[in-house]
Amino acid sequence: MMKKQLKVVLILAFMLSTFQMSAFAAPPNGNSGQAFDNRIIKQIDVDNVYDHVYHLSEVIGPRVAGTEAELETVDYLVEEFESYGYDNVEVQPFDQLGFTSYNVIATKTPNNPNQDSGQILIVGAHHDTVPGSPGANDDASGTGALLELARVMSNAPVDSEVRFIAFGAEERGLVGSRHYASTMTEDEVERTVGMFQLDMIGSADAGDLTMFTVDGEQNTVTDLAASAGARVSQNDIPPFSMLGRSDHVPFYERGIPAALFIHTPLEPWYHTPDDTIENIDIDKLEDVTKIVGAAVYHAARPDTPALERSQVAPQPVDYYYEDPQL
């Protein structure tokens, strides 16, 4: 934990010594930062995200853990990851519920093994649903964004490891993410600098984007995402708030900076048969995918080998705490 805390202190010290704190002022090297953002966000095709949401919610439908529909979902995820060039896709089974469910993991490794920062970043979403719900927003939306970010980053230069994880059995009590986090070694935990959880990011009838942390405090993930939001989003910088209830929780419990990205207040058709593709807002899908993509790539790209040594650190931005609205 000490190394992780030191990294946060060092990056904040670096940024404070280099820039004036302002929510909207452009950093001196803003053009460079924008160019790096464009490496990712210009490649994001929201139609791909929408197509994934359609396939998961309309073609497969309800994807309850331990069912044939989950197996169909797992096959779809593996095929998509492999089509992007990931040859190391892992299907991780777990049976804590008395039946088998699955996590699906694709890992982007540093392009040059001799320039490996040693850092790990995790991008997560859950692929299961509650019974009877097609789960277009909960959470085909997050899973679709996860797949698109994996595609875009498959050929991007990075010096950090990025793990794209679709968790099973979230709706049964975060079972898949708890299993995955429990299998991480102490070395992996120490090297993991951030976990970004995408859950319910496309609802037309929900509120605005909020970044939730388990303890209600800012962390590396919210800092990176707030800065990314200021650079790449047309909306206000997302606030942070306090909430568990999703797959960021097990990583926080292991000492990893983690945050949930979700629109709140929630839509009225949450966990119902009306969670369908007709209620998905494509602009919301694109906005969150770009924010998280820019945030993750800022930490993973080669010029930021350990965050605190970055020469193109994002401009610090002011972002505020908002009471949870569910």
Side-chain angles (χ1 to χ4, degrees):
M1 285 300 299
M2 290 303 295
K3 285 199 292 184
K4 203 172 300 171
Q5 294 168 355
L6 179 60
K7 287 183 178 184
V8 174
V9 170
L10 286 174
I11 186 172
L12 290 175
F14 174 84
M15 291 190 293
L16 287 169
S17 66
T18 308
F19 303 117
Q20 294 296 315
M21 288 289 285
S22 170
F24 303 105
N29 50 11
N31 291 337
S32 177
Q34 185 177 26
F36 282 114
D37 287 333
N38 287 342
R39 179 68 186 254
I40 295 300
I41 66 171
K42 292 295 186 182
Q43 302 302 315
I44 290 172
D45 186 342
V46 71
D47 288 338
N48 291 337
V49 183
Y50 187 87
D51 288 346
H52 293 311
V53 176
Y54 180 86
H55 186 91
L56 292 167
S57 63
E58 299 295 320
V59 177
I60 299 177
R63 303 172 301 283
V64 179
T67 66
E68 288 296 320
E70 181 184 18
L71 294 177
E72 187 177 350
T73 301
V74 169
D75 287 343
Y76 178 76
L77 294 170
V78 171
E79 289 172 5
E80 289 299 310
F81 282 136
E82 289 181 343
S83 74
Y84 310 148
Y86 293 94
D87 57 7
N88 55 349
V89 180
E90 177 188 357
V91 176
Q92 182 187 58
F94 53 92
D95 58 5
Q96 287 89 330
L97 294 169
F99 55 81
T100 303
S101 186
Y102 304 90
N103 298 324
V104 183
I105 306 107
T107 301
K108 166 69 175 175
T109 56
N111 301 65
N112 185 346
N114 295 322
Q115 296 179 346
D116 185 346
S117 71
Q119 290 182 155
I120 299 170
L121 295 115
I122 296 173
V123 184
H126 71 89
H127 61 71
D128 67 314
T129 69
V130 297
S133 176
N137 193 45
D138 188 12
D139 185 28
S141 62
T143 304
L146 175 83
L147 288 170
E148 179 63 0
L149 289 177
R151 182 191 70 83
V152 169
M153 292 193 187
S154 62
N155 294 314
V158 300
D159 67 358
S160 299
E161 184 176 301
V162 185
R163 299 179 183 180
F164 300 95
I165 309 176
F167 298 108
E170 187 267 359
E171 300 289 6
R172 295 296 298 270
L174 318 182
V175 182
S177 54
R178 289 193 185 281
H179 176 74
Y180 183 86
S182 73
T183 66
M184 295 178 70
T185 66
E186 290 299 327
D187 176 68
E188 288 178 303
V189 169
E190 185 67 20
R191 292 190 293 116
T192 302
V193 297
M195 191 279 174
F196 298 73
Q197 177 66 12
L198 297 159
D199 197 348
M200 302 173 64
I201 63 165
S203 169
D205 296 321
D208 297 327
L209 178 63
T210 304
M211 306 180 293
F212 284 102
T213 60
V214 177
D215 59 3
E217 299 293 334
Q218 297 172 336
N219 61 31
T220 306
V221 173
T222 61
D223 287 348
L224 286 167
S227 182
R231 300 192 308 272
V232 307
S233 177
Q234 300 302 308
N235 299 316
D236 292 338
I237 297 171
F240 69 100
S241 191
M242 182 170 67
L243 186 72
R245 292 176 50 177
S246 193
D247 290 316
H248 61 307
V249 173
F251 298 91
Y252 164 81
E253 291 173 344
R254 292 218 61 183
I256 295 169
L260 163 66
F261 295 80
I262 188 172
H263 294 108
T264 60
L266 302 181
E267 62 278 4
W269 36 267
Y270 167 64
H271 278 183
T272 74
D274 294 325
D275 186 0
T276 60
I277 193 73
E278 290 80 10
N279 293 315
I280 292 297
D281 183 326
I282 199 166
D283 292 331
K284 285 185 172 180
L285 288 178
E286 183 173 34
D287 183 58
V288 181
T289 305
K290 286 183 174 181
I291 289 172
V292 172
V296 171
Y297 190 57
H298 173 79
R301 67 191 191 222
D303 64 284
T304 56
L307 289 181
E308 75 273 11
R309 293 197 295 272
S310 172
Q311 297 304 305
V312 287
Q315 174 75 357
V317 296
D318 294 322
Y319 62 108
Y320 61 93
Y321 180 87
E322 182 176 273
D323 289 334
Q325 299 181 47
L326 301 176

